[in-house]
Amino acid sequence: MSAEIIDGRKVAELIRNSVREDVEQWVEKGNRPPFLQVILVGDDPASIVYTGTKSKACKEVGIDSNTMVLQDTISAIELKQIIQDFNQDDSVDGILVQTPLPSHLSKYDVIETIDYRKDVDGFHPMNVGRLSLDQPCFRSCTPAGVMELFKHYSIPVKSKHAVVVGASDIVGSPMAVMLSRENTTGKATTTICNKYTRDLTAHTINADILIVAAGQPHLIKPEMVKEGAVVIDVGINRIADETTEKGYKLVGDVDFEGVKKKASWITPVPGGVGPMTVAMLMKNTLLAAKKSLYPG
Ligand code: BQF
């Protein structure tokens, strides 16, 4: 078998087009365009790239945005005051603090400061809690993007055995919740593996749907994958590569060339899940502007 390639770039473009049309309608009705406030602390090169990608996507769909760049020496008190000011500001619909944060700042502390009604990343405990109850909420963009890929390609989830490798706050954990709990799109039997899992292959080999978000290049080899499995690679690892202009290339957590011979569907890196993350952020920002989830 050779897997069908899941084209995240294409599906993300479809989503952005649909958001653009919805934003147009929203503005035609007399509303101001949605506004996303991005906060970037420090000068992590990957974070600079990601915030640039998000700002470009906003422009494309008609969402206004601004990136506030703060020095990595900023205190927790100062950062939280800035967030509280954006919470109070009615012209700000969505607030996003780019991660990772410098080590002297607690991400939990910072994220809890964001008004959950503006938490377009879906990281606030209110949104995480509501997700786990299958209640309307802002959903973490990366796992929400994966669910959207299943929907687009009509890949069945219900009653399948899904195995999630990686248990991070942002990807693995909410991914497992969506797969297992979401009423219309989920209802898989779900296993979460973490770095303490004893025999990873014993789990992955049983997966009908294998989601990998471990941050380890080439962790998943063909012999770990069941014939016909759906393989979703969330990993984004920078590997030194002198032959490229930037001096590096992006690889996932899956041995793509090997695993695609066994899988029925597979996502590439780049161009798989990554673009979906950004597209779902656009969707969430529109929801925030329309106050669709939290009308009060
Ligand atoms: C692609 C992210 C780890 C830590 C913090 C397109 C993105 C990535 C890849 C992107 C990510 C990953 C983002 C591709 C945002 C996804 O073509 O494959 C887009 O911009 N992402 C982030 O903001 O913070 C991260 C990964």
Side-chain angles (χ1 to χ4, degrees):
M1 176 163 345
S2 188
E4 308 238 26
I5 310 295
I6 295 178
D7 188 347
R9 270 192 200 120
K10 185 188 79 182
V11 182
E13 191 184 337
L14 292 173
I15 290 169
R16 287 197 306 273
N17 288 343
S18 136
V19 171
R20 189 200 302 116
E21 284 170 24
D22 288 0
V23 167
E24 256 170 46
Q25 282 190 20
W26 176 248
V27 171
E28 270 167 24
K29 279 196 217 149
N31 302 290
R32 62 163 174 75
F35 183 87
L36 173 64
Q37 180 64 53
V38 176
I39 301 173
L40 171 59
V41 186
D43 56 3
D44 174 62
S47 294
I48 292 171
V49 172
Y50 293 145
T51 54
T53 306
K54 292 169 188 180
S55 146
K56 184 166 155 261
C58 282
K59 245 194 205 102
E60 206 188 309
V61 303
I63 292 175
D64 289 338
S65 79
N66 175 261
T67 302
M68 177 184 262
V69 182
L70 300 170
Q71 286 198 318
D72 62 3
T73 52
I74 193 169
S75 69
I77 291 185
E78 287 173 294
L79 176 57
K80 283 156 75 175
Q81 185 57 55
I82 288 167
I83 292 170
Q84 275 157 359
D85 291 344
F86 289 136
N87 286 344
Q88 296 300 321
D89 186 342
D90 285 339
S91 65
V92 173
D93 298 305
I95 303 171
L96 178 161
V97 180
Q98 182 66 39
T99 51
L101 284 172
S103 57
H104 70 281
L105 298 169
S106 153
K107 64 175 172 176
Y108 298 107
D109 212 27
V110 169
I111 285 161
E112 270 200 59
T113 309
I114 301 172
D115 185 331
Y116 67 88
R117 292 164 296 191
K118 300 190 178 190
D119 169 38
V120 288
D121 259 341
F123 297 166
H124 189 286
M126 175 66 95
N127 286 308
V128 177
R130 291 179 63 91
L131 179 76
S132 75
L133 299 169
D134 197 26
Q135 292 297 299
C137 61
F138 289 110
R139 294 151 79 231
S140 180
C141 296
T142 301
V146 172
M147 298 307 283
E148 204 67 33
L149 288 172
F150 294 148
K151 187 167 127 192
H152 178 88
Y153 287 97
S154 303
I155 294 170
V157 172
K158 194 165 139 190
S159 303
K160 299 294 180 187
H161 186 188
V163 175
V164 180
V165 180
S168 70
D169 296 338
I170 292 174
V171 183
S173 301
M175 183 82 260
V177 172
M178 289 177 201
L179 287 164
S180 63
R181 291 215 49 163
E182 286 190 342
N183 202 39
T184 48
T185 51
K187 301 294 174 197
T189 300
T190 307
T191 301
I192 310 178
C193 300
N194 56 32
K195 55 178 162 256
Y196 306 102
T197 297
R198 288 221 170 93
D199 184 354
L200 186 58
T201 303
H203 298 282
T204 60
I205 198 74
N206 290 315
D208 303 309
I209 299 173
L210 180 59
I211 314 248
V212 192
Q216 227 177 287
H218 289 100
L219 174 68
I220 303 299
K221 296 168 191 68
E223 56 275 18
M224 300 169 76
V225 177
K226 179 157 114 179
E227 192 77 38
V230 176
V231 179
I232 306 293
D233 189 352
V234 188
I236 302 181
N237 307 289
R238 281 189 183 197
I239 298 279
D241 184 349
E242 303 305 317
T243 68
T244 67
E245 198 181 313
K246 292 171 179 161
Y248 66 86
K249 64 172 179 177
L250 296 181
V251 302
D253 293 349
V254 174
D255 167 7
F256 180 84
E257 289 308 322
V259 170
K260 82 168 183 211
K261 298 187 181 102
K262 286 185 95 177
S264 59
W265 292 93
I266 191 166
T267 60
V269 177
V273 175
M276 294 299 292
T277 299
V278 181
M280 297 313 282
L281 175 66
M282 301 299 107
K283 241 183 150 164
N284 278 353
T285 304
L286 176 62
L287 289 173
K290 289 181 151 181
K291 300 189 168 26
S292 309
L293 297 168
Y294 302 115

